[in-house]
Amino acid sequence: MLTKFETKSARVKGLSFHPKRPWVLASLHNGVIQLWDYRMCTLIDKFDEHDGPVRGIDFHKQQPLFVSGGDDYKIKVWNYKLRRCLFTLLGHLDYIRTTFFHHEYPWILSASDDQTIRIWNWQSRTCVCVLTGHNHYVMCAQFHPSEDLVVSASLDQTVRVWDISGLRKKNLSPGAVETEVRGISGVDLFGASDAVVKHVLEVSDNWSSGHDRGVNWAAFHPSMPLIVSGADDRQVKIWRMNESKAWELDTCRGHYNNVSCAVFHPRQELILSNSEDKSIRVWDMSKRTGVQTFRRDHDRFWVLGAHPNLNLFAAGHDSGMIVFKLERERPAYAVHGNMLYYVKDRFLRQLDFNSSKDTAVMQLRSGSKFPVFSMSYNPAENAVLLCTRATNLENSTYDLYSIPKESDSQNPDAPEGKRSSGLTAVWVARNRFAVLDRMHSLLIKNLKNEIVKKVQVPSCEEIFYAGTGSLLLRDADGVTLFDVQQKRSLATVKIAKVKYVVWSADTSHVALLAKHAIMICNRKLESLCNIHENIRVKSGAWDESGVFIYTTSNHIKYALTSGWRWKQPKLWMSAAAGSVWARRPSCRVTTRLWKCATRGPRTSTSSPSSTSSPATWPSCAR
């Protein structure tokens, strides 16, 4: 689990991702609604009109709207562009637990402690249907992503599926007129029901299925006829349904307190659940087993949200929220000349930059449930080292493969690799590679994966390639250039928690990338340039002209070491929205501000202590 963004606030009870912008709404127990940009890690706005906790929150999929529901019995519809509440819907007689927009119709679905579920038309600002049948608090109610169905969860220990096709036909068919006369059960004058209970998922007398405590959450699968539910019996249940019936498929056991929320992963066969036991758990749907557990020491979890398009999730807890990914999406890769080697779907693939031909060159052995974390390529022997990083670092491994000279891209070979334990493996010579083992000591091995010698190194958390016979050793405070042959340190620079090391083609310069910083050094590891970014540095590459190009969460930028002269690429001249030139000691940094959905007026994001006047800007940056 990779935490991308975290906030500190009052207890978060509701979450909603914006479908297109990098925004997330958090509704708090103190009555405030916060709008965060999780990519820039900034609070955009906050809305404070509810009296008491706000539990339900949801962005509209197309309009600049969101809906909220709170303990003040009120449903409020907001326009975030106008930064105000447009109107309030009244009718519930107790706390409102969840509020959701329909994906297509102008409807809002609300669940309440008054034991009812209501459907509202937010255009006419009226209640069009009331669903009754639960005999305890309704903790959650959600629309089906594509069908005329609603699922609800209640403390009466049941999950109910409602058919609302009658409401759609009545209110949205050509010439239909919304009747003013409707009973609270949703039955009109002619006896046709707007919404009927289709399935009741509960404990049966004949077999032990269903929850035996109050149900806190229920949600539909985005594409399959499945439902997931979480309850106070500490269980997560999976249900399947068809036109005539619904039944329990299986139960995921492992939480040791009330399960507050459970959702399907939008694109993988996984379920995420969180609980008052201070944990988030990830379950394999096919095996019904726990895959991953994330714990906090002091905070109970209350709600989960999944981004509709991206591999992002959010979880609300007692002291804020976290936005996270389950796994690293960046593939392990290595570049040599015009060839890119990378790992995808248990294959090593090769991309030719000149012809754009992408082929599978070999199949990787299975047996590890963790993705390949990093790769080191040896062009002389046409061999690769693939490192797999386990959750428990001591269980990390690497594989040594010789790439087949000829391979059928449709049915690539699966050569036998040599697997050993180790945190990281990096080539240091044509027939030697270095391994940082689980004890954080350095081993030098040959092509047969045999230990040639052991090298005592300073305290080291990670190793990186630094040319033939050399390594960069990373510790908590800096990076050390280490000569493997002489077994001694040559130079050290101070930069905390380096994540990536990028060498220029002739290895004359190196860029050290940390979370919010970049240091550019020469071959002797002498610092030439320090760049600080307020948002995450994501990746970097050296241009053939000696320009370092790097990306942040929402910008592409480039850095010039002092004294270098180059010609600006025409692509940037036409594509860039603007530029800012900044002077730094021994370094020139140019920032290209690309068109971004969250960007307002053009501003300088790399602002040094002093900025040159336009008259002194170089021609390439004007």
Side-chain angles (χ1 to χ4, degrees):
M1 182 177 292
L2 302 174
T3 301
K4 311 301 289 182
F5 173 58
E6 187 163 0
T7 69
K8 295 294 182 183
S9 68
R11 183 182 303 164
V12 173
K13 300 295 289 184
L15 289 166
S16 179
F17 280 103
H18 194 283
K20 297 176 182 176
R21 297 175 184 264
W23 294 350
V24 61
L25 278 168
S27 59
L28 309 184
H29 198 264
N30 63 4
V32 176
I33 300 167
Q34 295 179 336
L35 175 59
W36 290 92
D37 186 318
Y38 54 80
R39 195 166 63 183
M40 297 288 287
C41 304
T42 54
L43 179 65
I44 298 173
D45 213 338
K46 62 180 182 179
F47 308 87
D48 187 6
E49 286 190 24
H50 278 283
D51 297 320
V54 183
R55 303 175 190 273
I57 197 79
D58 190 39
F59 270 117
H60 195 278
K61 302 302 182 288
Q62 288 90 28
Q63 302 294 328
L65 306 174
F66 66 89
V67 61
S68 62
D71 286 8
D72 54 5
Y73 314 168
K74 295 176 182 177
I75 297 170
K76 290 180 176 289
V77 176
W78 310 74
N79 186 308
Y80 56 76
K81 284 188 176 180
L82 301 178
R83 303 177 63 185
R84 65 182 180 88
C85 176
L86 298 181
F87 55 89
T88 301
L89 300 172
L90 300 175
H92 279 298
L93 305 175
D94 210 332
Y95 296 172
I96 296 167
R97 295 285 177 171
T98 60
T99 51
F100 290 100
F101 281 109
H102 194 277
H103 62 281
E104 185 179 354
Y105 307 142
W107 292 346
I108 292 169
L109 182 69
S110 59
S112 171
D113 285 3
D114 66 10
Q115 305 181 19
T116 69
I117 304 154
R118 291 176 181 252
I119 300 176
W120 312 76
N121 186 315
W122 58 264
Q123 290 180 339
S124 64
R125 306 183 185 183
T126 57
C127 179
V128 295
C129 187
V130 181
L131 285 63
T132 59
H134 284 295
N135 53 37
H136 209 310
Y137 302 163
V138 185
M139 303 297 287
C140 171
Q142 299 193 56
F143 288 114
H144 192 281
S146 58
E147 299 178 28
D148 293 325
L149 297 174
V150 166
V151 65
S152 61
S154 170
L155 293 189
D156 65 10
Q157 304 179 18
T158 69
V159 175
R160 292 175 181 247
V161 180
W162 309 75
D163 184 340
I164 58 169
S165 56
L167 182 68
R168 175 182 58 82
K169 293 172 184 176
K170 181 173 186 177
N171 288 283
L172 299 167
S173 59
V177 179
E178 203 172 309
T179 179
E180 296 286 331
V181 184
R182 180 177 293 107
I184 196 165
S185 63
V187 179
D188 66 16
L189 293 174
F190 301 100
S193 179
D194 293 344
V196 295
V197 176
K198 191 171 185 178
H199 309 297
V200 179
L201 315 179
E202 60 184 342
V203 174
S204 169
D205 295 332
N206 299 326
W207 65 89
S208 58
S209 65
H211 292 287
D212 56 15
R213 295 268 183 99
V215 189
N216 295 312
W217 199 266
F220 287 112
H221 191 280
S223 57
M224 299 171 65
L226 299 175
I227 294 169
V228 66
S229 60
D232 287 349
D233 60 8
R234 309 175 184 181
Q235 297 177 359
V236 177
K237 290 186 180 288
I238 308 167
W239 311 80
R240 192 175 186 90
M241 61 181 181
N242 58 24
E243 281 300 314
S244 59
K245 63 178 181 177
W247 63 98
E248 181 184 325
L249 274 184
D250 217 323
T251 300
C252 301
R253 296 177 175 88
H255 284 295
Y256 50 91
N257 207 331
N258 303 338
V259 179
S260 49
C261 192
V263 297
F264 289 106
H265 193 292
R267 286 167 295 281
Q268 298 182 37
E269 294 294 298
L270 298 173
I271 292 171
L272 284 80
S273 63
N274 64 8
S275 165
E276 294 179 46
D277 66 9
K278 305 171 187 175
S279 74
I280 300 172
R281 290 178 181 260
V282 184
W283 312 86
D284 187 311
M285 280 178 58
S286 57
K287 299 177 182 176
R288 278 80 172 186
T289 56
V291 177
Q292 212 171 354
T293 302
F294 176 75
R295 298 186 185 279
R296 292 187 76 89
D297 292 332
H298 307 292
D299 298 315
R300 297 166 295 176
F301 284 102
W302 298 103
V303 65
L304 275 170
H307 196 286
N309 309 314
L310 305 177
N311 181 29
L312 280 176
F313 300 89
H317 53 79
D318 280 334
S319 56
M321 70 162 176
I322 55 174
V323 176
F324 62 94
K325 289 184 178 181
L326 289 185
E327 60 188 22
R328 199 164 172 258
E329 293 180 292
R330 182 181 309 189
Y333 72 95
V335 179
H336 176 68
N338 290 317
M339 291 293 182
L340 169 70
Y341 295 91
Y342 68 100
V343 175
K344 183 181 180 183
D345 299 331
R346 309 304 305 175
F347 289 95
L348 178 67
R349 302 186 68 87
Q350 174 184 283
L351 173 65
D352 188 325
F353 289 142
N354 293 329
S355 63
S356 297
K357 186 178 181 181
D358 189 347
T359 57
V361 295
M362 72 176 189
Q363 187 174 347
L364 307 179
R365 66 180 285 189
S366 58
S368 176
K369 62 180 181 179
F370 300 102
V372 176
F373 182 80
S374 64
M375 177 194 304
S376 183
Y377 176 66
N378 182 346
E381 297 292 336
N382 200 30
V384 290
L385 293 163
L386 304 179
C387 305
T388 300
R389 190 66 54 88
T391 305
N392 182 356
L393 293 180
E394 292 187 354
N395 297 329
S396 300
T397 61
Y398 70 89
D399 290 281
L400 170 61
Y401 287 101
S402 291
I403 302 175
K405 293 182 179 179
E406 294 182 2
S407 181
D408 180 7
S409 61
Q410 299 298 320
N411 188 23
D413 295 336
E416 190 67 27
K418 298 180 177 68
R419 176 172 293 179
S420 296
S421 63
L423 300 179
T424 311
V426 177
W427 294 102
V428 292
R430 182 187 62 81
N431 57 355
R432 295 287 188 272
F433 63 93
V435 177
L436 184 65
D437 69 7
R438 65 180 67 183
M439 303 304 293
H440 294 266
S441 59
L442 199 63
L443 308 177
I444 306 301
K445 295 190 175 186
N446 60 20
L447 292 173
K448 296 180 180 179
N449 203 28
E450 299 168 338
I451 297 176
V452 176
K453 61 180 175 180
K454 294 184 179 181
V455 181
Q456 292 298 320
V457 295
S459 104
C460 177
E461 299 174 348
E462 187 66 275
I463 60 175
F464 302 97
Y465 174 76
T468 303
S470 299
L471 289 171
L472 290 178
L473 312 180
R474 186 199 79 188
D475 59 25
D477 300 321
V479 173
T480 299
L481 179 61
F482 187 81
D483 190 307
V484 178
Q485 294 293 333
Q486 301 179 36
K487 301 181 182 179
R488 69 187 184 95
S489 300
L490 303 178
T492 300
V493 293
K494 293 292 184 182
I495 176 172
K497 298 181 180 179
V498 169
K499 296 175 65 178
Y500 303 105
V501 169
V502 186
W503 287 92
S504 59
D506 59 359
T507 66
S508 62
H509 290 86
V510 63
L512 310 176
L513 277 60
K515 185 177 180 180
H516 292 287
I518 298 172
M519 178 181 285
I520 295 179
C521 304
N522 61 16
R523 183 70 185 85
K524 297 179 181 180
L525 211 62
E526 296 170 338
S527 177
L528 304 176
C529 163
N530 285 292
I531 304 167
H532 176 76
E533 294 289 344
N534 292 324
I535 55 177
R536 288 175 185 261
V537 177
K538 304 296 288 185
S539 63
W542 289 92
D543 181 79
E544 59 186 9
S545 307
V547 179
F548 186 66
I549 306 164
Y550 65 97
T551 63
T552 65
S553 295
N554 58 349
H555 289 142
I556 297 177
K557 302 184 179 183
Y558 55 90
L560 308 178
T561 305
S562 179
W564 288 359
R565 297 164 63 185
W566 65 294
K567 186 176 181 181
Q568 186 168 333
K570 292 182 180 179
L571 171 65
W572 290 4
M573 292 289 285
S574 60
S579 63
V580 177
W581 181 266
R583 293 190 182 276
R584 298 177 185 267
S586 303
C587 174
R588 295 173 183 171
V589 177
T590 302
T591 305
R592 311 302 292 178
L593 298 184
W594 296 72
K595 187 175 182 182
C596 176
T598 62
R599 183 170 63 83
R602 186 181 306 160
T603 57
S604 169
T605 58
S606 281
S607 54
S609 56
S610 61
T611 305
S612 305
S613 64
T616 62
W617 288 358
S619 59
C620 68
R622 286 180 183 168

